[in-house]
Structures are given as C-alpha cells and as structure tokens.
C-alpha cells in the first residue's frame, strides 16, 4: 500500500484545497461506524484537525470487512470527494475501497461517549485520540511555532541550555539528582557521598532553569531565548504544579527592568492574538466544551494596557481594600494568588505588572535598588490566575551580587565562580523573564489542570509511559 498518496483531512475541511470529484485516500482512526440497510457510514479522523470526514459506503454487503471495522480501528479509505447530502459536514467520501489496517475490538476504552478527565489521565497513551486532547496537542504545537516566530523575528537567538546542570538557579533546593553511582553502596568520604567518584566527578541535577546559561549567551550575543524542559522535585499535588514542565526564558543584554516589562507585555499580547487568529478551530472547541469565556479572556488581555505598580503600592492597596484574605498582607509579605487576583479582577480589571519587590523574598541575582530594601524584580499578573510571568533585571555589579548571595545563604558559592565572572569581565545591564509554557497553555485553553495540557505529565508518584 502506498501511504504517501494520503490526503490529510485538514486539507479538505479546513483549508478547502481539495476539489470536489477528486480521488482521495484517507488514512486514520475510526470514530464511528454504522451499517444500515443499503448504506454504511464510517467517520474517520486523522489527527490533522478537529474535523472528521465521513465515508459513505453504498452496497455494504459487498464490503464484508465492515463487520470488523469498529470504533478505534485504523483504516485506509479510498474514494471520490463529494458534497455531503447530510447535515453537519460540507464534504464526504463516496467510498470505492476500504481496508482495515489495525483492528480495535469492543474493549477499546474510547467508545463514543463523554469520558472524565480523571479517567483519561489513566490512559494517556490513548487520550490524545479524543477531541479534547487532540485539540490540546495541536495548540501546543502551533504555539511552540509561534514562540519561535516571535523571538526570531525580533532578532533573538535560540540557545540550547543544558538539561543536566551543576547549579540551582532558584536556590530552592528542590532538585532531581542525576547519578550513575550504586545507590545501595555509594562511595563515602568523611561521612558524605563522594561525588568525585560519580560520572561527572561532582553532584549534578536536572535543570530548574536555563536562566544562568542564557545570561552567559546574552552577554555575548545580545538578545537570546531558551525554550525547553525544566524540572522541580517539589512535592506539590496541585492543579498548577508539575515535576517536569517547559519554560520560555528570554534574556536581553543592555536591557533594564522597563525593557523587560515592555517585552513581557508585548509577548503575551502577541501570543494570545496568535492563538485567537491561528488556532481558531481549537479556540472554538475550548470555548464550547471547556471554558465559555476562553476567547473573551484572551481578548481582554490583548486589548488592555497593563497597569504597572510597585510592590509597595500593591501592598498599600491590599491593606486598605477591606477584603478578607486567607493570607496576610503588608510590606514584606509574599503576594499570594488571592492578592494577585484582587488586583487584576477587582481593583484594576486588567493585567498588572508589580515590580520592585523586597530583597528578602526574591532571588539573590536580582539587581538591588538604591533604597537598600528592594530589588528590580517584576511579576506579570493576569485575571483568573494571578502571576503568569516572573522576571527581573539581573545584578551586574560583582561586589553587590556576591554580597547578596551570601546574605541569601547560597550554599557552595564557589560553584558559581563562572557566574560571578560575568560581572568581572565586561559586565553590562541585562534582564529577562520566565514563562511556564504549560501554564500559558492552560490559560489559553481554559483547561483547569496542568496534567491535562501535558502529553505525559510528571507529578509526584506518577511517571508512567
């Protein structure tokens, strides 16, 4: 069989590029198969789009293979493209031949009915065949292309930062250790594991961020970005946390915090506009079946001018607003989701960028302000979820950075000699931010759980497939 002659369904029902009366070969999975008196209908989806195409088989008695073609089977259907006589579709295929490629019996889990998301997580190897997860995966692909398009068109260079890293960028300590040592009999020296005997002759982790390596590249190439997997061994079983997730991290040399905020706002608006325009079928699906306000949510961000306030101003608003919050407010307190949503949904009714946070609650690498209390960090807050982007202007002064690292209690500072070298040799102002890709897909689609926007989620006590 010559599979190369296939006609993708998207070419027919989305692009409308296949003329009526054309000979077409459809290869895909059967969604439904109905054999009636004198006619049979086989509805097929090939994953190229939301839509299916229906094959109409006249004289089904002449096609005994139809008895074996059940929901979930893969088929090769050849025929002539015609205008549909029924409702709900523009085209169908007058079938001339149909072959069963891969059988699926009545035990196939995805029969034609609604399935809960919890059930579908148990069969992640099959759930992508459903409308919901087909849409999720297509929009992930399209948005990945959009991210590269945005940065490439603006002169940013794509940097491949390492997945194996010797540094803990965030200083959080929630790291996955990578080792080839025998865990039952690790080498011991002075009562501690002797990492010098390990593969890399030191302790190595799965990366929590590519930021530090991107700073290296930015101070040579100017504007760069990385877009890849990151890992956190944080034991959080929430709808927004995953142990493996993708991050978008631009880094700009000769850029201060205002430039960073400008880029973050422009990037979010551009990405959401792309989703509205270029992922229209998927957005229509999510708007109908997942979140009726999906389009409106994105449009409100695209059309808004982001409010910009300092952390101090934000806390003054929260203290005086009269709301009863679960978590305390006041200067020095870290803002929680409930505080962020109050600012975006009730106070300003639009996205908000909060900047100049207390040094004690932010990372050591953020540039210190002259007031001696705050640093040039910023968070982009959007309605419905709160923080969606976190970024900062990096501290470019060697002595100040070293002092901040010590005050934050960063262990093994000597392991960061290379990072401090950037401040010794040709240092320059630079800034960047991080945007969790999986969380932005959640925001765009309206999906409520990060496990449902990742093809194969990795969360505590779950690493199947």
């Amino acid at each position: 069989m010559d599979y190369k002659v296939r006609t993708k369904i998207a070419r027919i029902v989305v692009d409308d590029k296949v003329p009526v009366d054309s000979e077409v070969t459809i290869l895909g999975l059967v969604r439904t198969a109905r054999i009636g008196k004198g006619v049979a209908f086989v509805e097929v989806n090939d994953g190229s789009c939301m839509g299916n195409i229906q094959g109409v088989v006249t004289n089904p008695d002449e096609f005994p293979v139809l008895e074996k073609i059940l929901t979930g089977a893969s088929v090769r259907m050849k025929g002539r493209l015609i205008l549909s006589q029924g409702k709900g579709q523009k085209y169908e295929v007058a079938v001339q031949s149909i072959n069963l490629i891969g059988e699926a019996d009545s035990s196939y889990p995805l029969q034609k009915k609604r399935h809960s998301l919890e059930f579908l997580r148990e069969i992640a190897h099959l759930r992508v065949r459903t409308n919901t997860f087909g849409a999720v995966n297509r929009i992930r692909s399209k948005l990945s292309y959009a991210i590269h398009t945005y940065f490439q068109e603006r002169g940013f260079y794509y940097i491949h930062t390492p997945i194996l890293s010797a540094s803990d960028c965030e200083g959080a300590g929630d790291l996955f250790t990578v080792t080839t040592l025998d865990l039952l009999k690790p080498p011991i020296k002075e009562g501690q594991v002797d990492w010098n005997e390990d593969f890399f002759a030191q302790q190595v982790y799965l990366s929590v961020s590519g930021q530090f390596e991107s700073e290296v590249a930015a101070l040579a190439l100017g504007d760069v970005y990385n877009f890849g997997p990151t890992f956190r061994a944080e034991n959080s079983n929430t709808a927004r946390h995953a142990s493996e997730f993708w991050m978008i991290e631009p880094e700009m040399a000769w850029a201060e915090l205002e430039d960073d905020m400008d880029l973050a706002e422009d990037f979010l608006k551009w990405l959401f506009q792309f989703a509205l325009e270029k992922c229209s079928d998927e957005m229509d699906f999510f708007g109908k079946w997942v979140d009726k306000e999906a389009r409106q949510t994105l449009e409100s961000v695209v059309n808004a001018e982001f409010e910009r306030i300092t952390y101090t101003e934000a806390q003054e608003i929260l203290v005086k607003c009269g709301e009863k919050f679960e978590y305390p407010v006041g200067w020095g307190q870290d803002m929680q989701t409930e505080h962020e949503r109050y600012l975006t949904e009730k106070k300003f009714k639009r996205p908000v960028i909060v900047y100049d946070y207390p040094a004690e609650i932010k990372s050591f690498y953020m540039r210190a302000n002259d007031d001696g209390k705050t640093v040039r960090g910023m968070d982009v807050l959007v309605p419905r979820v709160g923080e969606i982007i976190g970024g900062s202007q990096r501290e470019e002064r060697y002595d100040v950075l070293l002092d901040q690292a010590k005050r934050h209690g960063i262990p093994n500072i000597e392991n960061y000699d290379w990072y401090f070298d950037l401040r010794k040799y040709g240092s320059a102002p630079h800034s960047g931010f991080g945007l969790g890709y999986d969380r932005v897909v959640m925001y765009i689609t309206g999906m409520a759980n990060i496990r449902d926007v990742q093809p194969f989620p990795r969360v505590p006590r779950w690493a199947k497939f």
Side-chain angles (χ1 to χ4, degrees), residues 92-196:
E92 55 193 17
V93 177
V95 175
Q96 298 164 349
S97 66
I98 186 167
N99 304 100
L100 177 61
I101 306 301
E103 291 189 36
D105 61 25
S106 58
S107 67
Y108 180 60
L110 299 177
Q111 298 298 321
K112 191 175 182 182
K113 63 178 183 177
R114 293 293 298 273
H115 300 281
S116 71
L117 296 176
E118 291 78 9
F119 168 74
L120 292 173
R121 288 177 205 140
E122 301 285 339
I123 52 169
H125 59 300
L126 296 175
R127 69 176 181 171
V128 71
R129 302 183 185 188
T130 65
N131 286 334
T132 299
F133 289 94
V136 165
N137 280 274
R138 277 188 294 272
I139 206 166
R140 280 186 71 101
S141 175
K142 293 177 181 179
L143 292 174
S144 296
Y145 167 80
I147 288 161
H148 287 292
T149 299
Y150 177 88
F151 289 112
Q152 293 288 331
E153 288 182 349
R154 287 156 181 79
F156 283 70
Y157 292 103
Y158 180 34
I159 303 300
H160 296 161
T161 55
I163 293 175
L164 299 179
S165 176
S167 67
D168 175 9
C169 175
E170 298 297 327
D174 298 320
L175 304 168
F176 289 103
T177 296
V178 178
T179 181
T180 59
L181 295 177
D182 182 349
L183 298 182
L184 296 178
K185 296 180 180 179
I188 303 296
K189 184 177 181 180
E190 299 178 355
Q192 302 290 328
V193 173
D194 185 5
W195 295 106
N196 190 58

Side-chain angles (χ1 to χ4, degrees), residues 325-456:
F325 295 116
E326 179 181 356
Y327 294 94
V329 296
W331 209 93
Q333 299 288 343
D334 205 354
M335 287 208 299
Q336 304 296 323
T337 299
E338 60 177 340
H339 310 144
E340 296 165 345
R341 293 190 62 176
Y342 173 81
L343 293 172
T344 58
E345 296 171 20
K346 294 185 177 180
K347 175 62 178 177
F348 294 106
K349 296 182 173 58
R350 53 178 164 163
V352 178
I353 302 179
V354 179
Y355 63 96
D356 285 355
Y357 281 81
E360 288 73 16
I361 63 173
K362 288 297 182 181
S363 298
F364 78 95
Y365 54 74
M366 296 187 182
R367 193 184 198 280
N369 283 316
D370 294 338
D371 61 14
K373 299 189 301 180
T374 61
V375 291
R376 304 246 74 192
M378 67 94 176
D379 290 330
V380 180
L381 318 178
V382 292
R384 307 186 73 178
V385 300
E387 180 194 345
I388 196 168
I389 283 178
S392 69
Q393 181 176 338
R394 321 308 189 188
E395 181 56 73
E396 84 279 10
R397 297 165 294 184
Y398 177 86
D399 293 339
V400 177
L401 182 65
L402 184 60
D403 179 65
Q404 290 184 168
K406 291 177 179 177
R407 285 193 292 107
H408 277 75
I410 301 300
N412 304 316
I413 289 181
E414 64 276 5
N415 292 341
Y416 296 87
D417 286 347
W418 60 274
Y419 187 65
F420 291 101
D421 274 355
L422 300 177
R423 278 72 178 173
K424 290 171 64 176
Y425 308 121
S427 185
H430 56 290
S431 301
F433 63 76
L435 170 61
Y437 183 55
D438 306 282
R439 287 188 179 180
V440 82
V441 174
M442 289 175 64
Y443 194 73
I444 288 171
T445 61
M447 297 291 282
N449 197 309
I450 197 169
R451 295 167 175 82
D452 298 327
V453 298
Q454 294 182 322
F456 302 101

